[in-house]
Amino acid sequence: MSTHIGAAKGDIAESILLPGDPLRAKYIAEKFFDNPIQFNNVRGMLGYTGTYKGKRVSTMGTGMGIPSISIYVTELLKEYGCKNLVRVGTCGGLLPEIGLKDIILAQGACTDNAFLNIFPGHYAPIANFDLLRTAHDLACQRNIKTYVGLVKSSDMFYYENVPGSEYWTQYGVIGVEMEAAALYTIAAKYKARALAICSVSDSAFIDHELTALERERNLDNMLTLALDTVLAID
Ligand code: HPA
């Protein structure tokens, strides 16, 4: 047991998929795992371990935003020895050519959250190259429209009229989400691999929304991409 995860040591696999939504973790386990066993329900943050194509894999929700994911990821790394952490989430697209359902592989993540202020300079959180390269290769093989680049892990979802916010896109940020910067930074501390795979759910340049069926199909493409990525990593 750790403070926020009610699992015994050994209950959680070295590779774990991390959606924000705990019910999405349940969906992943039920749809893609053989013999899933629930290892956590503390605060409703569901977590499961099962096998995928014969490999032991886990999934657990992280909640939304940097404070929430930081708690779970720290405990997964420190108390349970996780080695490969793949966030599977959504993001907003910040380039006109990025469409809904496209995938952004977050090569790096900047943030307006204060936790990087622990550094005496400006730390640059980056994805693990093995995970990034593997996910990119698989996405290309599957003809999934994929962008690799910098995301911003924002502390605000409803982001209006913040002075200077145009700088993010001017300096190459292609997507906005709320967790990757913390995932990458904490994984680096514990010498683990991390990657955020984000499906584009909205865009400042697009005014229509995805249908429920489109969302589900798209989600499944991202989830199998993430699962096959960790399968290909030792
Ligand atoms: N902002 C932050 N997080 C998000 C967004 C967004 O626009 N879309 C999906 N996740």
Side-chain angles (χ1 to χ4, degrees), residues 95-157:
L95 296 178
E97 63 267 35
I98 297 181
L100 302 185
K101 300 191 285 181
D102 292 350
I103 293 278
I104 293 180
L105 299 176
Q107 186 179 17
C110 36
T111 186
D112 53 11
N113 181 281
F115 90 112
L116 288 183
N117 298 348
I118 59 168
F119 295 95
H122 302 279
Y123 183 73
I126 56 166
N128 172 262
F129 185 67
D130 295 331
L131 285 173
L132 179 63
R133 179 174 50 180
T134 304
H136 185 253
D137 288 351
L138 287 172
C140 290
Q141 284 164 24
R142 294 171 189 193
N143 292 319
I144 299 172
K145 195 132 181 270
T146 303
Y147 295 83
V148 178
L150 191 55
V151 300
K152 179 193 170 205
S153 300
S154 179
D155 257 3
M156 274 188 281
F157 184 86

CSV table of all heavy atoms in Angstrom, one decimal, residues 95-157:
chain,number,residue,atom,x,y,z
A,95,LEU,N,-2.1,24.0,-34.1
A,95,LEU,CA,-1.8,24.4,-35.5
A,95,LEU,C,-3.0,24.2,-36.4
A,95,LEU,O,-3.7,23.3,-36.2
A,95,LEU,CB,-0.6,23.5,-36.0
A,95,LEU,CG,0.7,23.6,-35.3
A,95,LEU,CD1,1.7,22.6,-36.0
A,95,LEU,CD2,1.3,25.0,-35.4
A,96,PRO,N,-3.2,25.1,-37.4
A,96,PRO,CA,-4.3,24.9,-38.2
A,96,PRO,C,-4.4,23.6,-39.0
A,96,PRO,O,-5.5,23.1,-39.2
A,96,PRO,CB,-4.2,26.1,-39.2
A,96,PRO,CG,-2.9,26.8,-38.9
A,96,PRO,CD,-2.4,26.3,-37.7
A,97,GLU,N,-3.2,23.0,-39.3
A,97,GLU,CA,-3.2,21.8,-40.0
A,97,GLU,C,-3.5,20.5,-39.2
A,97,GLU,O,-3.8,19.5,-39.7
A,97,GLU,CB,-1.9,21.6,-40.8
A,97,GLU,CG,-0.7,21.5,-39.9
A,97,GLU,CD,0.0,22.8,-39.7
A,97,GLU,OE1,-0.7,23.8,-39.6
A,97,GLU,OE2,1.3,22.8,-39.6
A,98,ILE,N,-3.5,20.7,-37.9
A,98,ILE,CA,-3.8,19.5,-37.0
A,98,ILE,C,-5.3,19.4,-36.8
A,98,ILE,O,-6.0,20.3,-36.4
A,98,ILE,CB,-3.1,19.7,-35.6
A,98,ILE,CG1,-1.6,19.8,-35.7
A,98,ILE,CG2,-3.5,18.6,-34.6
A,98,ILE,CD1,-0.8,20.0,-34.4
A,99,GLY,N,-5.7,18.1,-37.2
A,99,GLY,CA,-7.2,17.9,-37.2
A,99,GLY,C,-7.6,17.1,-36.0
A,99,GLY,O,-6.8,16.5,-35.2
A,100,LEU,N,-8.9,17.1,-35.7
A,100,LEU,CA,-9.4,16.2,-34.7
A,100,LEU,C,-9.1,14.8,-35.0
A,100,LEU,O,-9.1,14.4,-36.2
A,100,LEU,CB,-11.0,16.4,-34.5
A,100,LEU,CG,-11.5,17.8,-34.3
A,100,LEU,CD1,-13.0,17.8,-34.1
A,100,LEU,CD2,-10.8,18.4,-33.1
A,101,LYS,N,-8.8,14.0,-34.0
A,101,LYS,CA,-8.4,12.6,-34.1
A,101,LYS,C,-7.0,12.3,-34.4
A,101,LYS,O,-6.5,11.2,-34.4
A,101,LYS,CB,-9.3,11.8,-35.1
A,101,LYS,CG,-10.8,11.8,-34.7
A,101,LYS,CD,-11.5,10.9,-35.5
A,101,LYS,CE,-11.7,11.4,-37.0
A,101,LYS,NZ,-12.5,10.4,-37.8
A,102,ASP,N,-6.3,13.4,-34.9
A,102,ASP,CA,-4.8,13.2,-35.1
A,102,ASP,C,-4.2,12.9,-33.8
A,102,ASP,O,-4.7,13.2,-32.7
A,102,ASP,CB,-4.2,14.5,-35.7
A,102,ASP,CG,-4.7,14.7,-37.2
A,102,ASP,OD1,-5.3,13.8,-37.7
A,102,ASP,OD2,-4.4,15.8,-37.7
A,103,ILE,N,-3.0,12.4,-33.9
A,103,ILE,CA,-2.2,12.1,-32.6
A,103,ILE,C,-1.0,13.0,-32.5
A,103,ILE,O,-0.3,13.3,-33.5
A,103,ILE,CB,-1.7,10.6,-32.7
A,103,ILE,CG1,-2.8,9.6,-32.7
A,103,ILE,CG2,-0.7,10.3,-31.6
A,103,ILE,CD1,-3.4,9.3,-31.3
A,104,ILE,N,-0.9,13.5,-31.3
A,104,ILE,CA,0.4,14.3,-31.0
A,104,ILE,C,1.2,13.4,-30.0
A,104,ILE,O,0.7,13.0,-28.9
A,104,ILE,CB,0.0,15.6,-30.3
A,104,ILE,CG1,-0.6,16.5,-31.4
A,104,ILE,CG2,1.3,16.3,-29.8
A,104,ILE,CD1,-1.0,17.9,-30.9
A,105,LEU,N,2.4,13.1,-30.4
A,105,LEU,CA,3.4,12.5,-29.5
A,105,LEU,C,4.2,13.6,-28.9
A,105,LEU,O,4.9,14.4,-29.6
A,105,LEU,CB,4.3,11.5,-30.3
A,105,LEU,CG,3.6,10.4,-31.0
A,105,LEU,CD1,4.6,9.6,-31.8
A,105,LEU,CD2,2.9,9.5,-30.0
A,106,ALA,N,4.1,13.8,-27.6
A,106,ALA,CA,4.7,14.9,-26.9
A,106,ALA,C,6.2,14.7,-26.7
A,106,ALA,O,6.6,14.0,-25.8
A,106,ALA,CB,4.0,15.2,-25.6
A,107,GLN,N,7.0,15.2,-27.6
A,107,GLN,CA,8.4,15.1,-27.6
A,107,GLN,C,9.0,15.8,-26.4
A,107,GLN,O,10.0,15.4,-25.7
A,107,GLN,CB,9.0,15.7,-28.9
A,107,GLN,CG,10.5,15.5,-29.1
A,107,GLN,CD,10.9,16.1,-30.4
A,107,GLN,OE1,10.1,16.9,-31.0
A,107,GLN,NE2,12.0,15.8,-30.9
A,108,GLY,N,8.4,16.9,-26.0
A,108,GLY,CA,8.8,17.7,-24.9
A,108,GLY,C,7.5,18.4,-24.3
A,108,GLY,O,6.5,18.5,-25.0
A,109,ALA,N,7.6,18.9,-23.1
A,109,ALA,CA,6.5,19.5,-22.5
A,109,ALA,C,6.9,20.7,-21.6
A,109,ALA,O,7.7,20.5,-20.7
A,109,ALA,CB,5.7,18.5,-21.6
A,110,CYS,N,6.4,21.9,-22.0
A,110,CYS,CA,6.6,23.0,-21.1
A,110,CYS,C,5.4,23.2,-20.2
A,110,CYS,O,4.4,22.6,-20.5
A,110,CYS,CB,7.0,24.3,-21.9
A,110,CYS,SG,6.1,24.5,-23.4
A,111,THR,N,5.5,24.1,-19.3
A,111,THR,CA,4.3,24.2,-18.4
A,111,THR,C,4.3,25.6,-17.7
A,111,THR,O,5.3,26.3,-17.6
A,111,THR,CB,4.3,23.2,-17.3
A,111,THR,OG1,3.2,23.3,-16.5
A,111,THR,CG2,5.6,23.3,-16.4
A,112,ASP,N,3.1,26.0,-17.3
A,112,ASP,CA,2.9,27.2,-16.5
A,112,ASP,C,2.7,26.9,-15.1
A,112,ASP,O,2.5,27.7,-14.2
A,112,ASP,CB,1.8,28.1,-17.0
A,112,ASP,CG,0.5,27.3,-17.1
A,112,ASP,OD1,0.4,26.2,-16.6
A,112,ASP,OD2,-0.5,27.9,-17.7
A,113,ASN,N,2.8,25.6,-14.8
A,113,ASN,CA,2.7,25.1,-13.4
A,113,ASN,C,4.0,25.5,-12.6
A,113,ASN,O,5.1,25.5,-13.2
A,113,ASN,CB,2.5,23.6,-13.4
A,113,ASN,CG,2.3,23.1,-12.0
A,113,ASN,OD1,3.3,22.9,-11.3
A,113,ASN,ND2,1.1,22.8,-11.6
A,114,ALA,N,3.9,25.7,-11.3
A,114,ALA,CA,5.0,26.2,-10.5
A,114,ALA,C,6.0,25.1,-10.1
A,114,ALA,O,7.1,25.4,-9.6
A,114,ALA,CB,4.5,26.9,-9.3
A,115,PHE,N,5.7,23.8,-10.3
A,115,PHE,CA,6.6,22.8,-9.7
A,115,PHE,C,8.0,22.8,-10.4
A,115,PHE,O,8.9,22.4,-9.7
A,115,PHE,CB,5.9,21.4,-9.7
A,115,PHE,CG,6.2,20.6,-11.0
A,115,PHE,CD1,7.0,19.5,-10.9
A,115,PHE,CD2,5.7,20.9,-12.2
A,115,PHE,CE1,7.3,18.7,-12.0
A,115,PHE,CE2,5.9,20.2,-13.3
A,115,PHE,CZ,6.7,19.1,-13.2
A,116,LEU,N,8.1,23.3,-11.6
A,116,LEU,CA,9.4,23.3,-12.2
A,116,LEU,C,10.3,24.4,-11.6
A,116,LEU,O,11.5,24.5,-11.8
A,116,LEU,CB,9.4,23.5,-13.7
A,116,LEU,CG,8.9,22.2,-14.5
A,116,LEU,CD1,9.0,22.5,-16.0
A,116,LEU,CD2,9.8,21.0,-14.2
A,117,ASN,N,9.7,25.3,-10.8
A,117,ASN,CA,10.4,26.3,-10.1
A,117,ASN,C,11.4,25.8,-9.0
A,117,ASN,O,12.2,26.5,-8.4
A,117,ASN,CB,9.5,27.4,-9.4
A,117,ASN,CG,8.7,28.1,-10.5
A,117,ASN,OD1,8.9,28.0,-11.7
A,117,ASN,ND2,7.7,28.8,-10.0
A,118,ILE,N,11.3,24.5,-8.7
A,118,ILE,CA,12.3,23.9,-7.8
A,118,ILE,C,13.7,24.0,-8.4
A,118,ILE,O,14.7,23.9,-7.7
A,118,ILE,CB,12.0,22.4,-7.5
A,118,ILE,CG1,12.0,21.5,-8.7
A,118,ILE,CG2,10.7,22.3,-6.7
A,118,ILE,CD1,12.0,20.0,-8.4
A,119,PHE,N,13.8,24.1,-9.7
A,119,PHE,CA,15.1,24.2,-10.4
A,119,PHE,C,15.7,25.6,-10.3
A,119,PHE,O,14.9,26.6,-10.5
A,119,PHE,CB,15.0,23.7,-11.9
A,119,PHE,CG,14.6,22.3,-12.0
A,119,PHE,CD1,13.3,21.9,-12.2
A,119,PHE,CD2,15.6,21.3,-11.9
A,119,PHE,CE1,13.0,20.6,-12.3
A,119,PHE,CE2,15.3,20.0,-12.1
A,119,PHE,CZ,13.9,19.6,-12.2
A,120,PRO,N,17.0,25.7,-10.2
A,120,PRO,CA,17.6,27.1,-10.2
A,120,PRO,C,17.6,27.7,-11.6
A,120,PRO,O,18.1,28.8,-11.8
A,120,PRO,CB,19.0,26.9,-9.6
A,120,PRO,CG,19.3,25.4,-9.9
A,120,PRO,CD,18.0,24.7,-10.0
A,121,GLY,N,17.1,27.0,-12.6
A,121,GLY,CA,17.1,27.5,-14.0
A,121,GLY,C,15.8,27.0,-14.6
A,121,GLY,O,14.8,26.8,-13.9
A,122,HIS,N,15.8,26.7,-16.0
A,122,HIS,CA,14.6,26.3,-16.6
A,122,HIS,C,14.7,24.9,-17.1
A,122,HIS,O,15.4,24.6,-18.1
A,122,HIS,CB,14.3,27.3,-17.8
A,122,HIS,CG,14.1,28.7,-17.3
A,122,HIS,ND1,12.9,29.1,-16.8
A,122,HIS,CD2,15.0,29.7,-17.3
A,122,HIS,CE1,13.1,30.4,-16.4
A,122,HIS,NE2,14.3,30.7,-16.7
A,123,TYR,N,14.2,23.9,-16.4
A,123,TYR,CA,14.2,22.5,-16.8
A,123,TYR,C,13.4,22.3,-18.0
A,123,TYR,O,12.3,22.9,-18.2
A,123,TYR,CB,13.7,21.7,-15.6
A,123,TYR,CG,13.9,20.2,-15.8
A,123,TYR,CD1,15.1,19.5,-15.8
A,123,TYR,CD2,12.7,19.4,-16.1
A,123,TYR,CE1,15.2,18.2,-16.0
A,123,TYR,CE2,12.8,18.0,-16.3
A,123,TYR,CZ,14.1,17.4,-16.2
A,123,TYR,OH,14.2,16.1,-16.4
A,124,ALA,N,13.8,21.3,-18.9
A,124,ALA,CA,13.1,21.0,-20.1
A,124,ALA,C,12.6,19.5,-20.1
A,124,ALA,O,13.4,18.7,-20.5
A,124,ALA,CB,14.0,21.3,-21.3
A,125,PRO,N,11.4,19.3,-19.7
A,125,PRO,CA,11.0,17.9,-19.6
A,125,PRO,C,10.8,17.3,-21.0
A,125,PRO,O,10.2,17.9,-21.9
A,125,PRO,CB,9.6,18.0,-19.0
A,125,PRO,CG,9.5,19.3,-18.3
A,125,PRO,CD,10.4,20.2,-19.2
A,126,ILE,N,11.4,16.1,-21.2
A,126,ILE,CA,11.3,15.4,-22.6
A,126,ILE,C,10.9,14.0,-22.4
A,126,ILE,O,11.0,13.4,-21.4
A,126,ILE,CB,12.7,15.4,-23.3
A,126,ILE,CG1,13.8,14.8,-22.5
A,126,ILE,CG2,13.1,16.8,-23.7
A,126,ILE,CD1,15.1,14.5,-23.3
A,127,ALA,N,10.3,13.5,-23.5
A,127,ALA,CA,9.9,12.1,-23.6
A,127,ALA,C,11.1,11.2,-23.7
A,127,ALA,O,12.1,11.6,-24.1
A,127,ALA,CB,9.0,11.9,-24.8
A,128,ASN,N,10.9,9.9,-23.3
A,128,ASN,CA,11.9,8.9,-23.6
A,128,ASN,C,12.0,8.6,-25.0
A,128,ASN,O,11.0,8.4,-25.7
A,128,ASN,CB,11.5,7.7,-22.8
A,128,ASN,CG,12.5,6.5,-23.1
A,128,ASN,OD1,12.1,5.7,-23.9
A,128,ASN,ND2,13.7,6.5,-22.6
A,129,PHE,N,13.2,8.6,-25.6
A,129,PHE,CA,13.4,8.5,-27.0
A,129,PHE,C,12.9,7.1,-27.5
A,129,PHE,O,12.4,7.0,-28.6
A,129,PHE,CB,14.8,8.8,-27.4
A,129,PHE,CG,15.0,8.7,-28.9
A,129,PHE,CD1,14.5,9.7,-29.7
A,129,PHE,CD2,15.8,7.8,-29.5
A,129,PHE,CE1,14.7,9.7,-31.1
A,129,PHE,CE2,16.0,7.7,-30.8
A,129,PHE,CZ,15.4,8.7,-31.6
A,130,ASP,N,13.2,6.0,-26.8
A,130,ASP,CA,12.8,4.7,-27.2
A,130,ASP,C,11.3,4.6,-27.3
A,130,ASP,O,10.8,4.0,-28.3
A,130,ASP,CB,13.3,3.6,-26.2
A,130,ASP,CG,14.8,3.5,-26.1
A,130,ASP,OD1,15.5,3.8,-27.1
A,130,ASP,OD2,15.3,3.1,-25.0
A,131,LEU,N,10.6,5.1,-26.4
A,131,LEU,CA,9.1,5.0,-26.4
A,131,LEU,C,8.6,5.9,-27.6
A,131,LEU,O,7.7,5.5,-28.3
A,131,LEU,CB,8.5,5.5,-25.1
A,131,LEU,CG,8.5,4.5,-23.9
A,131,LEU,CD1,8.0,5.2,-22.7
A,131,LEU,CD2,7.7,3.3,-24.2
A,132,LEU,N,9.2,7.1,-27.7
A,132,LEU,CA,8.8,8.0,-28.7
A,132,LEU,C,9.0,7.4,-30.1
A,132,LEU,O,8.1,7.5,-31.0
A,132,LEU,CB,9.6,9.3,-28.6
A,132,LEU,CG,9.3,10.4,-29.6
A,132,LEU,CD1,7.8,10.9,-29.5
A,132,LEU,CD2,10.2,11.6,-29.3
A,133,ARG,N,10.2,6.9,-30.3
A,133,ARG,CA,10.5,6.3,-31.6
A,133,ARG,C,9.7,5.2,-32.0
A,133,ARG,O,9.1,5.0,-33.1
A,133,ARG,CB,12.0,5.9,-31.7
A,133,ARG,CG,12.4,5.3,-33.0
A,133,ARG,CD,13.9,5.1,-33.1
A,133,ARG,NE,14.4,4.3,-31.9
A,133,ARG,CZ,15.6,4.0,-31.7
A,133,ARG,NH1,16.6,4.3,-32.6
A,133,ARG,NH2,16.0,3.3,-30.6
A,134,THR,N,9.5,4.3,-31.0
A,134,THR,CA,8.6,3.1,-31.2
A,134,THR,C,7.2,3.5,-31.5
A,134,THR,O,6.6,3.0,-32.5
A,134,THR,CB,8.7,2.2,-30.0
A,134,THR,OG1,10.0,1.9,-29.7
A,134,THR,CG2,7.9,0.9,-30.2
A,135,ALA,N,6.6,4.4,-30.8
A,135,ALA,CA,5.3,4.9,-31.0
A,135,ALA,C,5.1,5.5,-32.4
A,135,ALA,O,4.2,5.3,-33.1
A,135,ALA,CB,4.8,5.8,-29.9
A,136,HIS,N,6.1,6.3,-32.7
A,136,HIS,CA,6.1,7.0,-34.0
A,136,HIS,C,6.2,6.0,-35.2
A,136,HIS,O,5.4,6.1,-36.1
A,136,HIS,CB,7.2,8.0,-34.1
A,136,HIS,CG,7.2,8.8,-35.3
A,136,HIS,ND1,8.0,8.7,-36.4
A,136,HIS,CD2,6.3,9.8,-35.7
A,136,HIS,CE1,7.7,9.5,-37.4
A,136,HIS,NE2,6.7,10.2,-37.0
A,137,ASP,N,7.1,5.0,-35.1
A,137,ASP,CA,7.2,4.0,-36.1
A,137,ASP,C,5.9,3.2,-36.3
A,137,ASP,O,5.4,3.0,-37.4
A,137,ASP,CB,8.3,3.0,-35.8
A,137,ASP,CG,9.7,3.6,-35.9
A,137,ASP,OD1,9.8,4.7,-36.5
A,137,ASP,OD2,10.6,2.9,-35.5
A,138,LEU,N,5.3,2.8,-35.2
A,138,LEU,CA,4.0,2.1,-35.2
A,138,LEU,C,2.9,2.9,-35.8
A,138,LEU,O,2.1,2.5,-36.6
A,138,LEU,CB,3.6,1.6,-33.8
A,138,LEU,CG,4.4,0.4,-33.2
A,138,LEU,CD1,4.0,0.2,-31.8
A,138,LEU,CD2,4.2,-0.8,-34.1
A,139,ALA,N,2.8,4.2,-35.4
A,139,ALA,CA,1.8,5.1,-35.9
A,139,ALA,C,1.9,5.3,-37.4
A,139,ALA,O,0.9,5.3,-38.1
A,139,ALA,CB,1.8,6.5,-35.2
A,140,CYS,N,3.2,5.4,-37.9
A,140,CYS,CA,3.4,5.6,-39.3
A,140,CYS,C,2.9,4.3,-40.1
A,140,CYS,O,2.2,4.4,-41.1
A,140,CYS,CB,4.8,5.8,-39.6
A,140,CYS,SG,5.3,7.5,-39.1
A,141,GLN,N,3.3,3.1,-39.5
A,141,GLN,CA,2.9,1.9,-40.2
A,141,GLN,C,1.4,1.8,-40.2
A,141,GLN,O,0.8,1.2,-41.1
A,141,GLN,CB,3.4,0.7,-39.3
A,141,GLN,CG,4.8,0.3,-39.5
A,141,GLN,CD,5.3,-0.6,-38.4
A,141,GLN,OE1,4.5,-1.3,-37.8
A,141,GLN,NE2,6.6,-0.5,-38.1
A,142,ARG,N,0.7,2.3,-39.3
A,142,ARG,CA,-0.8,2.3,-39.2
A,142,ARG,C,-1.5,3.4,-39.9
A,142,ARG,O,-2.7,3.6,-39.8
A,142,ARG,CB,-1.2,2.2,-37.7
A,142,ARG,CG,-0.8,0.9,-37.1
A,142,ARG,CD,-1.0,0.9,-35.6
A,142,ARG,NE,-0.3,-0.3,-35.1
A,142,ARG,CZ,-0.4,-0.8,-33.9
A,142,ARG,NH1,-1.2,-0.2,-33.0
A,142,ARG,NH2,0.2,-1.8,-33.5
A,143,ASN,N,-0.7,4.2,-40.6
A,143,ASN,CA,-1.3,5.4,-41.3
A,143,ASN,C,-2.1,6.3,-40.3
A,143,ASN,O,-3.1,6.9,-40.8
A,143,ASN,CB,-2.1,5.0,-42.5
A,143,ASN,CG,-1.3,4.4,-43.6
A,143,ASN,OD1,-0.2,4.9,-43.8
A,143,ASN,ND2,-1.8,3.3,-44.1
A,144,ILE,N,-1.6,6.4,-39.1
A,144,ILE,CA,-2.3,7.3,-38.2
A,144,ILE,C,-1.6,8.7,-38.3
A,144,ILE,O,-0.4,8.8,-38.3
A,144,ILE,CB,-2.2,6.9,-36.7
A,144,ILE,CG1,-2.8,5.5,-36.5
A,144,ILE,CG2,-2.7,7.9,-35.7
A,144,ILE,CD1,-2.6,4.9,-35.2
A,145,LYS,N,-2.4,9.7,-38.6
A,145,LYS,CA,-1.8,11.1,-38.8
A,145,LYS,C,-1.2,11.5,-37.4
A,145,LYS,O,-1.9,11.7,-36.5
A,145,LYS,CB,-2.9,12.0,-39.3
A,145,LYS,CG,-2.3,13.3,-39.8
A,145,LYS,CD,-3.0,13.6,-41.2
A,145,LYS,CE,-2.4,14.9,-41.8
A,145,LYS,NZ,-3.1,16.1,-41.4
A,146,THR,N,0.1,11.7,-37.4
A,146,THR,CA,0.8,11.9,-36.2
A,146,THR,C,1.7,13.1,-36.2
A,146,THR,O,2.5,13.2,-37.2
A,146,THR,CB,1.6,10.6,-35.8
A,146,THR,OG1,0.7,9.5,-35.8
A,146,THR,CG2,2.3,10.7,-34.5
A,147,TYR,N,1.7,13.9,-35.2
A,147,TYR,CA,2.6,15.0,-35.1
A,147,TYR,C,3.5,14.8,-33.9
A,147,TYR,O,3.0,14.3,-32.8
A,147,TYR,CB,1.9,16.3,-34.9
A,147,TYR,CG,1.0,16.7,-36.1
A,147,TYR,CD1,-0.2,16.2,-36.3
A,147,TYR,CD2,1.5,17.6,-37.1
A,147,TYR,CE1,-1.0,16.5,-37.4
A,147,TYR,CE2,0.8,17.9,-38.2
A,147,TYR,CZ,-0.5,17.3,-38.4
A,147,TYR,OH,-1.2,17.7,-39.5
A,148,VAL,N,4.8,15.1,-34.0
A,148,VAL,CA,5.7,14.9,-32.9
A,148,VAL,C,6.2,16.3,-32.6
A,148,VAL,O,6.7,17.1,-33.5
A,148,VAL,CB,6.9,14.1,-33.3
A,148,VAL,CG1,8.0,14.0,-32.2
A,148,VAL,CG2,6.5,12.7,-33.7
A,149,GLY,N,6.1,16.7,-31.3
A,149,GLY,CA,6.5,18.1,-31.0
A,149,GLY,C,6.3,18.5,-29.6
A,149,GLY,O,6.0,17.6,-28.7
A,150,LEU,N,6.4,19.7,-29.3
A,150,LEU,CA,6.3,20.3,-28.0
A,150,LEU,C,4.8,20.5,-27.6
A,150,LEU,O,4.1,21.1,-28.4
A,150,LEU,CB,7.1,21.6,-28.0
A,150,LEU,CG,7.4,22.3,-26.7
A,150,LEU,CD1,8.1,21.4,-25.7
A,150,LEU,CD2,8.2,23.5,-27.0
A,151,VAL,N,4.5,20.1,-26.4
A,151,VAL,CA,3.1,20.4,-25.9
A,151,VAL,C,3.3,21.4,-24.7
A,151,VAL,O,4.4,21.5,-24.1
A,151,VAL,CB,2.3,19.2,-25.4
A,151,VAL,CG1,2.1,18.3,-26.6
A,151,VAL,CG2,2.9,18.5,-24.3
A,152,LYS,N,2.2,22.0,-24.3
A,152,LYS,CA,2.2,22.8,-23.1
A,152,LYS,C,1.3,22.1,-22.1
A,152,LYS,O,0.1,21.8,-22.4
A,152,LYS,CB,1.7,24.2,-23.3
A,152,LYS,CG,1.6,25.0,-22.0
A,152,LYS,CD,0.8,26.2,-22.2
A,152,LYS,CE,0.6,26.9,-20.9
A,152,LYS,NZ,-0.6,27.7,-20.9
A,153,SER,N,1.8,21.8,-20.9
A,153,SER,CA,1.0,21.2,-19.9
A,153,SER,C,0.5,22.4,-19.0
A,153,SER,O,1.1,22.9,-18.2
A,153,SER,CB,1.8,20.3,-19.0
A,153,SER,OG,2.3,19.2,-19.8
A,154,SER,N,-0.8,22.7,-19.3
A,154,SER,CA,-1.4,23.9,-18.8
A,154,SER,C,-2.0,23.7,-17.4
A,154,SER,O,-2.5,22.6,-17.2
A,154,SER,CB,-2.4,24.4,-19.8
A,154,SER,OG,-3.0,25.6,-19.3
A,155,ASP,N,-2.0,24.7,-16.6
A,155,ASP,CA,-2.7,24.6,-15.3
A,155,ASP,C,-4.2,25.0,-15.5
A,155,ASP,O,-5.0,24.8,-14.5
A,155,ASP,CB,-2.1,25.5,-14.3
A,155,ASP,CG,-1.2,24.7,-13.3
A,155,ASP,OD1,-1.1,23.5,-13.5
A,155,ASP,OD2,-0.7,25.3,-12.4
A,156,MET,N,-4.5,25.5,-16.6
A,156,MET,CA,-5.9,25.9,-16.8
A,156,MET,C,-6.5,25.3,-18.1
A,156,MET,O,-5.9,25.2,-19.1
A,156,MET,CB,-5.9,27.5,-17.0
A,156,MET,CG,-6.0,28.2,-15.7
A,156,MET,SD,-6.3,29.9,-16.0
A,156,MET,CE,-4.7,30.5,-16.4
A,157,PHE,N,-7.7,24.8,-17.9
A,157,PHE,CA,-8.4,24.2,-19.1
A,157,PHE,C,-9.1,25.4,-19.8
A,157,PHE,O,-9.1,25.5,-21.0
A,157,PHE,CB,-9.4,23.2,-18.7
A,157,PHE,CG,-10.1,22.5,-19.8
A,157,PHE,CD1,-9.5,21.4,-20.4
A,157,PHE,CD2,-11.3,22.9,-20.2
A,157,PHE,CE1,-10.1,20.8,-21.5
A,157,PHE,CE2,-12.0,22.3,-21.3
A,157,PHE,CZ,-11.4,21.2,-21.9
